Amino acid sequence: MPKKSGRDGGARRAKSRSGELRTVGHNVARAEGVEKVTGAARYIDDLVFDDMLYGATLRSTVPAGRIVAVEKDPQFDWTGFVFVDHRDITAPGRNAVAMITEDQPFLAVDRVRHQAEPIWLVAHADRARLAAGLARITVRYEKEKAQLDFETATEVLKEIAIKRGDLDAAFARADVVVEGTYRTGAQEQLYIETNGVIAQPGAGDHADGITVHGSMQCPYYVVRALRVLLGLPEAKVRVVQTTTGGGFGGKEEYPSVLAGHAALLARKAGKPVKMVYERHEDLIATTKRHPSIITHRTAMKKDGTILGIDIDLRLDGGAYVTLSPVVLSRAAIHATGPYRADAVRIRGRVMMTHTPPNGAFRGFGAPQSQFAAEVHMDRIAAELGIEPIALRRKNLFNTGDVTATGQKLHDSVAAHEVLDRALARHAIATKAAAKARGKTAAKGAVKGAVKGATKNGAAANGAPLRGTGLALFFHGSGFTGGGEVKLASKAGIALTKDGVQLLVGSTEIGQGTRTMHAQIVAESLGIPYDMIDTADPDTARVPDSGPTVASRTCMVVGRILQRAAEKLRAQLGDYDDGKSFKKRARKLLEARGTVEVIEEYERPGDIVWNDTTYEGDAYGAYAWGANIADIEIDPISYQARCTHFTAVIDIGKAIHPILAEGQIEGGTLQGIGWALYEDVVMRDGKMHNASLTNYIIPTTLDTPPITVEIVEHPYKNGPFGAKGVGECPIDGPAAAIVNAIRAATGKRLDAVPATPERIMKALV
Amino acid sequence: MKLKLHVNGAKHTVEVAPMKRLLDTLREDLALTGTKEGCGEGECGACTVLIDGAAVNACLVPTCQVEGAEVRTVEGLASDGRLHRLQRAFLDNGAAQCGICTPGMMMAALALPKKSSLEQIRAGLAGNLCRCTGYMKIYDAVAQFLAGEKR
Ligand code: FES
Ligand code: FES
């Protein structure tokens, strides 16, 4: 274990409650670590295929309109160019990106519904010629009226309702009704590796098939999209994930579109075609986090008890449905925050606008809805004159409480524990910081700081305004409701002469999938970690383990692998170490040729969900989180800066503590970025600041010391107690920061990003 | 145009347009794809290489400008199959998640003064974006490496 550096912040690992474990809970060497630090790892743009062409996309430059004509400059030398338009998609193939619905075309037919919508595809062997050619193709439009603002939009792409208890009665009984409206902006995933694929005609023995290599989270989503587009059976479509430079949801559904484009060009050209977006194109064309507007009305008793919660939630879906219905579902289910109420009504809608479709982004709607919930909690505290911490404690979920969907929380509820730990860690950090500044912490400063209702920063003589804010949150692991049953994910293990090979369709996108899965299997089989190999993420070899999203890869897929390991263990009979395992394995292989155990998802018996009424156990388990943000605001520039951040997250069990902390630190910083810096500026339906020069993500200098503590409240159906970790950390930072800004200034912001312009407006 | 380059201790002659980005020459003409592109405009640092020991963005440097200079890329770190101590430190501390920023981040770290404080590490890496780690583990790795250098 490496020695911790002297940096402020830092992570504290929970003491393992499972003393016997030999691999799980230990920081084993990362599976693909060496390739990544030597530069040997091959990302999609590092690959060159023989006789390969480069592909590019002709995109719309109006938000809504009828395409009158697409014209190539007759003066230009078009030798060597390949063109594709919607007419190249022929039956039985369909011009529809297979997602939840099939409303989005791969290529526009006669209308465009948003800026940057793909119209034509062009390929050439020379990239400079390709760029020159693309600039010589013009599209003429008959413009149509565009609806760009989702707050005034009327077309609804999806609506859901959650109802529980008697809301009218709750409001009739209320001493006070507190109302507030909250807004969040779009956010770009900003993986440092842009979207990219290479499509190649043929798949295995099928000359008429298609193979796509690329950067992606969900190879089997891409398989499905290509099957629909090209009208091919599954055997003729092969998708291989290459080393992927970050995803965060941004490579969940979009690679299906890009893979389809490259496939169309490759089939027409009869050659491999590479399409790798430049940053600008990636920013204007691909999905973002859904902007939201959320209104809360809360029926309160004077003593701080929540009686009823009434929420109206709207998301900006953009021009097509993509994954918006499920984003909405997760947003709505988490919209109360981790608080109980006997009466709840949540109305959620996704609005259609003429803007590029929004889609999956880490947290999947829950960061938006819990931002509103937690900023609203501070508003309630202020209106009732109750301390924010006390108000929260009074209403926080305990074991046995019931959620908005009527789910009774039976186990692994750590809402109070993460709050206690966060307060303790924050107190330590505050003392240390005060000591470092050579002052003694003012008595009660820590507790007082989080009280939030008072202005505790001093603005005198240009000194920064300081404040501290709190946010509590939870995040359901895995697909919502019956989603996991429908997915019916598979994963398994093959015996090899040196150990085992994992057959799993989950992808490694930086979060440590390969390492963590190998640890689970090594532990379950009782053999050393280095005897576990993982098959390449190639759909010709690995089964569909469901998408690598929704904080499900450890808890859900890890559990399937654990079950496969247990079965394999039974087949092997007695062995007591790696050596005797190998002996038995070789014997069994000799006898049977191949030995593979593939298991499928099994719904834990106690999970019941009704998709029509939106009632029941929305998720098998929840991760729990508490954030405390310390911020300061420059009274002249109005720039807010986070000076210290505390994140305590309960994830059931840290299979690999360093990787788990990495998820928490990274997710937290992405949340801080969303809260303070990341502002997608739209003009005429198009991202206006589509470059890294003016779409700002946190650099080292914007990043505060982040104190992380992992809490391990085991979940009985997770592998070794593990729940999800990837998304929970991003649910809290925005609210904690906005609450801190209010503590510092006494003014409400109720929106992110908290840019200097917004803060100034609130203050003056 | 023929240009003579020194990369990772080896001499190469490449036939490229003089204004071709060093990033592309490394990746396409020398097959050194460890150096990455994240933005192409000097903002992300994924393309960071060392030129005579100084960290620069290879996406902003025309190839002709490095004639006669010593260029070092991530491929030049490990020797004889043995990892460089900085690479080890990145592995030990979990400083590489998706890994796309890692080569550039390590090259930038190598240009830091040997006795850098945490503040100097932060300032020295400010031109290198990482979207995965939240930077904490990268500080740990670099601090561990620099602590070893001091000895
Ligand atoms: S690619 Fe050179 S700085 Fe981003
Ligand atoms: S490790 Fe993914 S961007 Fe840094």
Side-chain angles (χ1 to χ4, degrees):
Chain A
M1 177 110 138
K3 227 180 77 208
K4 298 307 287 184
S5 70
R7 70 172 161 85
D8 194 0
R12 194 173 96 154
R13 278 150 207 156
K15 279 208 193 70
S16 181
R17 290 176 194 169
S18 37
E20 296 299 290
L21 297 178
R22 284 193 295 180
T23 308
V24 162
H26 297 267
N27 294 312
V28 300
R30 180 173 191 129
E32 75 298 348
V34 172
E35 294 105 88
K36 282 182 175 168
V37 297
T38 54
R42 291 279 172 267
Y43 297 76
I44 189 65
D45 203 24
D46 303 336
L47 299 177
V48 176
F49 289 14
D50 288 342
D51 207 16
M52 185 176 86
L53 306 183
Y54 294 90
T57 313
L58 179 73
R59 299 178 179 281
S60 62
T61 51
V62 300
R66 206 173 61 77
I67 300 171
V68 178
V70 183
E71 289 154 352
K72 289 187 298 212
D73 180 351
Q75 308 299 319
F76 189 76
D77 175 9
W78 294 103
T79 322
F81 276 85
V82 180
F83 304 96
V84 162
D85 70 13
H86 70 93
R87 290 165 301 185
D88 292 290
I89 303 167
T90 49
R94 294 199 297 280
N95 184 10
V97 183
M99 204 51 67
I100 290 171
T101 61
E102 291 194 357
D103 62 330
Q104 181 179 14
F106 276 97
L107 294 169
V109 178
D110 52 1
R111 284 204 137 67
V112 293
R113 281 163 68 89
H114 65 81
Q115 290 263 22
E117 181 157 14
I119 298 172
W120 270 27
L121 303 166
V122 189
H124 195 276
D126 182 277
R127 268 178 295 179
R129 292 288 304 154
L130 178 65
L134 194 67
R136 303 296 186 95
I137 308 173
T138 45
V139 185
R140 283 194 290 119
Y141 307 91
E142 215 165 73
K143 277 206 192 180
E144 293 174 330
K145 193 181 161 332
Q147 175 66 42
L148 300 177
D149 176 11
F150 79 106
E151 293 191 19
T152 57
T154 52
E155 190 181 335
V156 177
L157 293 177
K158 172 77 183 176
E159 171 153 9
I160 59 174
I162 295 175
K163 277 201 184 85
R164 187 174 121 70
D166 187 342
L167 196 74
D168 292 339
F171 275 86
R173 273 171 58 212
D175 297 322
V176 185
V177 171
V178 182
E179 193 169 332
T181 295
Y182 308 91
R183 289 176 172 83
T184 63
Q187 184 184 22
E188 161 60 31
Q189 295 86 357
L190 224 122
Y191 28 69
I192 302 296
E193 179 206 32
T194 54
N195 269 286
V197 301
I198 300 174
Q200 201 179 9
D205 302 333
H206 305 284
D208 59 340
I210 188 86
T211 300
V212 172
H213 289 74
S215 177
M216 63 184 73
Q217 293 177 229
C218 313
Y220 274 95
Y221 276 9
V222 177
V223 167
R224 201 175 120 228
L226 291 171
R227 288 184 54 195
V228 171
L229 169 68
L230 304 172
L232 291 174
E234 179 149 346
K236 295 188 179 180
V237 178
R238 180 182 162 209
V239 175
V240 185
Q241 182 224 8
T242 48
T243 306
T244 296
F248 317 111
K251 293 173 186 168
E252 176 171 355
E253 73 272 46
Y254 198 82
S256 296
V257 176
L258 183 53
H261 288 167
L264 288 168
L265 280 169
R267 276 162 72 99
K268 188 138 183 201
K271 291 178 180 180
V273 173
K274 180 193 257 193
M275 296 183 81
V276 176
Y277 286 168
E278 288 197 343
R279 182 60 63 186
H280 176 260
E281 183 171 26
D282 197 293
L283 287 169
I284 60 166
T286 71
T287 56
K288 310 268 178 288
R289 184 186 297 291
H290 292 73
S292 75
I293 173 166
I294 301 171
T295 298
H296 275 249
R297 276 179 68 235
T298 316
M300 297 296 305
K301 262 178 34 184
K302 265 208 296 280
D303 70 354
T305 309
I306 299 175
L307 296 172
I309 302 177
D310 190 9
I311 300 171
D312 182 84
L313 181 164
R314 274 176 294 155
L315 302 178
D316 182 353
Y320 298 107
V321 171
T322 66
L323 294 169
S324 292
V326 262
V327 173
L328 176 69
S329 157
R330 190 173 280 271
I333 291 170
H334 290 82
T336 58
Y339 305 106
R340 84 184 85 79
D342 287 337
V344 180
R345 179 172 70 188
I346 300 162
R347 181 189 191 199
R349 280 169 292 170
V350 178
M351 310 311 295
M352 184 272 172
T353 56
H354 290 100
T355 58
N358 292 308
F361 192 153
R362 192 181 213 161
F364 221 65
Q368 292 95 312
S369 65
Q370 295 195 84
F371 167 76
E374 273 304 86
V375 177
H376 191 63
M377 272 316 254
D378 267 23
R379 171 177 254 143
I380 295 172
E383 290 197 17
L384 263 53
I386 300 177
E387 273 186 27
I389 299 172
L391 174 71
R392 285 174 168 87
R393 281 198 200 281
K394 201 171 185 90
N395 298 287
L396 262 185
F397 280 137
N398 280 309
T399 306
D401 281 340
V402 177
T403 69
T405 62
Q407 172 170 15
K408 189 156 182 185
L409 298 166
H410 340 252
D411 73 329
S412 196
V413 182
H416 285 274
E417 197 175 333
V418 292
L419 171 59
D420 292 339
R421 293 306 310 150
L423 289 170
R425 292 308 300 272
H426 180 257
I428 295 167
T430 306
K431 256 195 209 140
K435 209 168 155 195
R437 284 199 307 267
K439 299 174 209 151
T440 46
K443 201 166 160 258
V446 177
K447 246 182 130 187
V450 199
K451 280 179 185 170
T454 52
K455 181 170 160 177
N456 57 49
N461 51 44
L465 298 159
R466 293 206 169 85
T468 300
L470 171 73
L472 304 180
F473 44 98
F474 68 148
H475 199 96
S477 308
F479 261 34
T480 306
E484 290 294 345
V485 175
K486 272 184 226 150
L487 278 178
S489 301
K490 292 186 191 65
I493 304 173
L495 221 47
T496 64
K497 58 184 203 332
D498 301 314
V500 299
Q501 188 180 48
L502 307 189
L503 304 174
V504 54
S506 304
T507 51
E508 170 65 59
I509 55 172
Q511 80 289 47
T513 298
R514 283 187 159 215
T515 309
M516 168 274 289
H517 278 167
Q519 284 178 279
I520 291 170
V521 171
E523 191 71 56
S524 306
L525 286 174
I527 60 176
Y529 167 75
D530 57 17
M531 282 173 66
I532 318 284
D533 171 48
T534 302
D536 286 336
D538 175 344
T539 59
R541 175 70 180 126
V542 299
D544 186 355
S545 308
T548 303
V549 303
S551 307
R552 63 185 294 280
T553 304
C554 178
M555 186 181 97
V556 178
V557 184
R559 176 73 189 128
I560 301 172
L561 282 170
Q562 189 182 26
R563 283 181 21 238
E566 284 157 5
K567 279 218 174 136
L568 184 65
R569 194 166 188 158
Q571 288 186 22
L572 281 163
D574 270 352
Y575 58 88
D576 35 44
D577 58 6
K579 232 178 166 178
S580 52
F581 175 94
K582 261 187 221 174
K583 263 193 208 145
R584 290 202 161 253
R586 286 181 193 188
K587 246 199 203 139
L588 204 61
L589 282 170
E590 259 166 47
R592 295 207 221 151
T594 55
V595 181
E596 283 185 12
V597 180
I598 307 281
E599 284 292 293
E600 193 176 307
Y601 173 76
E602 258 174 25
R603 179 175 65 90
D606 49 359
I607 298 183
V608 180
W609 175 256
N610 184 330
D611 231 352
T612 346
T613 59
Y614 248 76
E615 280 171 321
D617 302 306
Y619 304 98
Y622 296 84
W624 304 88
N627 283 168
I628 299 175
D630 297 300
I631 65 106
E632 59 182 41
I633 299 172
D634 182 320
I636 295 156
S637 68
Y638 296 104
Q639 177 70 59
R641 204 168 70 82
C642 189
T643 53
H644 184 268
F645 203 92
T646 305
V648 176
I649 312 282
D650 161 46
I651 60 171
K653 171 79 194 164
I655 303 291
H656 188 297
I658 285 187
L659 289 179
E661 286 160 20
Q663 284 299 296
I664 296 171
E665 289 160 358
T668 298
L669 185 59
Q670 231 168 16
I672 294 172
W674 185 46
L676 289 175
Y677 307 106
E678 299 183 34
D679 195 6
V680 176
V681 179
M682 299 293 282
R683 294 242 171 104
D684 197 26
K686 181 179 171 189
M687 184 172 178
H688 187 63
N689 54 337
S691 91
L692 276 180
T693 317
N694 44 20
Y695 181 79
I696 306 298
I697 66 166
T699 69
T700 51
L701 295 178
D702 308 311
T703 302
I706 303 172
T707 297
V708 168
E709 183 169 323
I710 292 174
V711 170
E712 296 184 316
H713 221 96
Y715 169 51
K716 64 177 186 296
N717 297 315
F720 303 97
K723 304 185 280 193
V725 59
E727 295 175 290
C728 189
I730 205 170
D731 288 352
I737 284 172
V738 165
N739 286 341
I741 291 174
R742 160 140 165 93
T745 63
K747 294 284 195 293
R748 10 188 89 271
L749 218 53
D750 297 343
V752 286
T755 54
E757 295 79 13
R758 246 193 193 129
I759 294 174
M760 188 176 88
K761 234 166 126 191
L763 289 191
V764 296
Chain B
M1 187 173 158
K2 273 202 170 65
L3 293 173
K4 287 201 178 72
L5 301 180
H6 286 226
V7 183
N8 299 329
K11 289 191 178 130
H12 300 272
T13 307
V14 291
E15 176 79 52
V16 298
M19 291 308 285
K20 183 166 181 171
R21 304 186 303 173
L22 175 60
L23 173 63
D24 297 329
T25 302
L26 290 171
R27 292 177 53 84
E28 292 166 9
D29 300 273
L30 299 177
L32 295 171
T33 54
T35 305
K36 305 299 182 192
E37 174 163 2
C39 68
E41 53 184 14
E43 291 290 337
C44 74
C47 63
T48 307
V49 299
L50 296 182
I51 297 179
D52 290 335
V56 297
N57 292 328
C59 69
L60 298 182
V61 177
T63 307
C64 61
Q65 219 177 70
V66 301
E67 247 200 329
E70 180 58 44
V71 180
R72 201 162 172 215
T73 71
V74 66
E75 286 91 348
L77 293 185
S79 55
D80 308 326
R82 281 223 342 269
L83 292 183
H84 188 279
R85 284 197 316 98
L86 180 61
Q87 292 172 314
R88 263 258 80 86
F90 264 64
L91 286 180
D92 289 348
N93 290 281
Q97 286 190 25
C98 81
I100 194 84
C101 73
T102 307
M105 196 67 83
M106 289 193 301
M107 299 324 282
L110 283 175
L112 291 170
K114 295 281 171 274
K115 283 189 183 142
S116 293
S117 63
L118 177 65
E119 273 323 296
Q120 285 169 309
I121 295 174
R122 283 180 72 198
L125 299 180
N128 292 73
L129 296 175
C130 174
R131 191 59 154 170
C132 296
T133 61
Y135 302 111
M136 299 295 125
K137 305 264 181 264
I138 292 173
Y139 301 156
D140 290 350
V142 175
Q144 178 187 315
F145 164 70
L146 291 178
E149 288 291 275
K150 260 186 270 170
R151 268 186 256 124

